[in-house]
Amino acid sequence: MKSKTSKVSLITFIGMTVALAASIRNIPDVAGSGWTMFFYMGVASLLFALPICLIAGEFGSAFPEKGGPELWVSNSLGGSYGFATSWLLWVQMFPGMVMVASALPPLLATAINRESLGNNNIFTLIVILVVYWIITFLNMKFDMAKITGQIGAWAGIYIPLVIMTVLGIWAVIKSGIHPSSILGNFSAGKLLPDPTDMKSLAFFSPIIFIYTGIEMSSVYITRIKKVSYYPIGVLVTLVFMFVLNIVNGFLEAAVVSSSKIDLNNIVQPVIVYDKILGLPSWIANVFSILVFIGVSVQLSAWASGPGKTIISSAQKGLYPPKFKFWKTDRFGDSHAILITQASIISFFALVYLLIPGINSAFLELVNATTVLYCAVYIFMAIGFIKLRIKQPNLKRPFKVGNTFVAWLIALILIATIIIALVATFAVGTLKDFIIVAIISAVLILLPFWFVRIRKDSWTPEVKKLMAENDQVSKKAEK
């Protein structure tokens, strides 16, 4: 079906990119790392996020069609790897979406002055299910990608960010860096991680993966007025995310003690700021409501984003036609995919009924999603270099330096990913490593098995069904 959506401006595209990637929910992780936050954020920004943005920018300008990472990897490494990429981008979001949505119940509980509900498993499950299914149906009825880029990002990200930053600066000016806070007394040695303490690496991976998904706005590249807006949009988002996290992470770490910090509660620093400044508690309530909107906006953006890579694969006949993953609405979304992923995410959310609190098994699944996403970035890095070698004259409106620079960027990204993953497992147990390794290996290899069992008849059948669907749509429009 032909899309009826209008082209978006650079400002709107930046808003859409921010809605997909930026969030203030990661600030406690930055704060928890203390003075090493500057080192970790610098490494994350320069050696992880920047290479991803540059690689995605060149890919996106060379192939300004729908498909994003799946299209890029297909054109550089082949169809099998492209299919694996779309699969990995999709399956990693199931436990990951539950993890993101788990921030909603404490926010809602604080907003209604019932903080204890935030630790109630049944309340947590109900909030996750209700919010995500509402988001799913909204994506089936409205152009939520554009709405969240223009409105949701302001209500849920920018305004709460201003509130948190202003209150934080005001509180720190008034009280200074508290001696018992995470920062405590400054010394130059605190700026770098302690090489003799493996636990000091615990915050490395969470900070590195603040930027995970920054390239996902590539699925909207065909809707931008100019292709050149894409690299500008992701780079602006990168700078915005760095400033957002480093400033507010520092402010929180200056007044909250390491023994009291709650990494899952973004409202905590605002409550502390209110107490230092003698301000009314309703400020934290309003802040909670706004952040609730922000997290919901991010969930909404992710509900339609990764699914578009599955649509691209389905329209090539890589999934059984009867699944109807190929069929899209006027916004370019597949209702079959939206319903399927909402159902699977609901299944993952049931962990809150079966297990008290956040069980280690669930955290191992979340670690596995990290590995899956990293596999996509490694595919992109390898494909980026291979395309430079095989098609050096390919038109690239946005090009990342010469061949040497391209190799350097790709190798830096791969090396950073390996170090981050090693750090993740170094602070865990052997059991954690084995479980995550098995889950990751199975899910990474599974799409290659799908390719082997695929039937050649699926492609012509899908093309026929798409043609019939277009004819029905044209008749309905008349």
Side-chain angles (χ1 to χ4, degrees), residues 1-5 16 20 66-67 90 93 132 134-148 216 219-220 222-223 299-312 314-315 323-341 466 469-470 473:
M1 181 181 294
K2 186 177 180 181
S3 174
K4 293 182 178 180
T5 52
M16 293 164 72
L20 275 169
K66 289 183 179 180
W90 195 42
M93 69 178 282
Y132 195 77
I134 289 175
I135 285 171
T136 297
F137 288 121
L138 286 175
N139 271 280
M140 294 169 64
K141 296 294 183 181
F142 304 100
D143 185 8
M144 294 303 293
K146 191 170 184 178
I147 292 173
T148 55
M216 278 308 300
V219 297
Y220 303 119
T222 56
R223 296 179 54 183
L299 289 171
S300 177
W302 275 88
S304 62
K308 284 181 168 57
T309 65
I310 299 296
I311 293 172
S312 179
Q315 291 180 344
F323 286 3
K324 294 187 178 180
F325 287 171
W326 53 268
K327 188 176 181 180
T328 59
D329 59 17
R330 65 184 185 278
F331 308 122
D333 293 319
S334 166
H335 291 191
I337 290 176
L338 290 173
I339 293 296
T340 298
Q341 65 190 27
M466 289 177 64
N469 187 65
D470 284 342
S473 299

Side-chain angles (χ1 to χ4, degrees), residues 15-29:
M16 293 164 72
T17 307
V18 169
L20 275 169
S23 173
I24 62 175
R25 65 183 172 81
N26 302 110
I27 290 172
D29 291 316

Side-chain angles (χ1 to χ4, degrees), residues 156-448:
I157 298 175
Y158 304 133
I159 295 176
L161 173 63
V162 170
I163 293 174
M164 175 180 278
T165 305
V166 171
L167 291 179
I169 293 174
W170 187 6
V172 172
I173 289 175
K174 181 177 180 179
S175 67
I177 297 177
H178 199 280
S180 64
S181 69
I182 297 170
L183 294 180
N185 297 318
F186 173 77
S187 67
K190 292 182 178 180
L191 293 173
L192 296 176
D194 184 355
T196 64
D197 182 11
M198 293 302 293
K199 291 184 178 179
S200 67
L201 296 173
F203 291 99
F204 185 42
S205 292
I207 291 177
I208 281 284
F209 298 114
I210 284 174
Y211 295 105
T212 297
I214 194 171
E215 84 296 334
M216 278 308 300
S217 59
S218 61
V219 297
Y220 303 119
I221 200 165
T222 56
R223 296 179 54 183
I224 313 173
K225 290 181 179 179
K226 296 181 181 180
V227 173
S228 60
Y229 286 174
Y230 174 73
I232 297 174
V234 291
L235 288 172
V236 169
T237 302
L238 169 59
V239 174
F240 174 82
M241 291 173 67
F242 177 84
V243 174
L244 180 161
N245 284 280
I246 203 72
V247 171
N248 284 282
F250 178 86
L251 295 173
E252 179 176 354
V255 297
V256 178
S257 67
S258 57
S259 62
K260 294 182 179 179
I261 188 170
D262 185 351
L263 298 179
N264 296 318
N265 188 359
I266 187 60
V267 189
Q268 183 187 31
V270 175
I271 294 175
V272 174
Y273 300 152
D274 285 349
K275 290 180 179 178
I276 293 175
L277 299 170
L279 297 175
S281 59
W282 61 260
I283 294 178
N285 299 93
V286 173
F287 179 83
S288 297
I289 294 171
L290 292 173
V291 178
F292 186 95
I293 294 172
V295 174
S296 299
V297 162
Q298 191 172 42
L299 289 171
S300 177
W302 275 88
S304 62
K308 284 181 168 57
T309 65
I310 299 296
I311 293 172
S312 179
S313 295
Q315 291 180 344
K316 296 174 183 176
L318 296 176
Y319 287 95
K322 63 182 179 181
F323 286 3
K324 294 187 178 180
F325 287 171
W326 53 268
K327 188 176 181 180
T328 59
D329 59 17
R330 65 184 185 278
F331 308 122
D333 293 319
S334 166
H335 291 191
I337 290 176
L338 290 173
I339 293 296
T340 298
Q341 65 190 27
S343 300
I344 299 175
I345 288 170
S346 298
F347 174 78
F348 273 96
L350 293 177
V351 71
Y352 287 103
L353 272 186
L354 303 174
I355 303 173
I358 300 177
N359 185 267
S360 60
F362 179 70
L363 292 177
E364 286 162 2
L365 284 174
V366 174
N367 285 336
T369 64
T370 297
V371 176
L372 298 178
Y373 218 122
C374 283
V376 172
Y377 288 141
I378 290 175
F379 288 165
M380 284 174 53
I382 296 173
F384 175 65
I385 294 302
K386 186 176 180 180
L387 197 67
R388 278 293 190 97
I389 295 173
K390 289 182 61 179
Q391 300 185 47
N393 298 321
L394 178 69
K395 184 178 179 181
R396 298 171 172 87
F398 175 78
K399 188 174 182 180
V400 185
N402 56 29
T403 302
F404 173 78
V405 173
W407 270 93
L408 182 62
I409 289 172
L411 292 176
I412 286 174
L413 176 58
I414 293 173
T416 304
I417 288 173
I418 293 173
I419 293 172
L421 293 178
V422 169
T424 298
F425 295 121
V427 297
T429 65
L430 178 61
K431 176 187 173 184
D432 295 335
F433 171 76
I434 293 174
I435 292 176
V436 171
I438 291 174
I439 293 174
S440 302
V442 170
L443 292 178
I444 290 173
L445 294 175
L446 202 55
F448 294 100

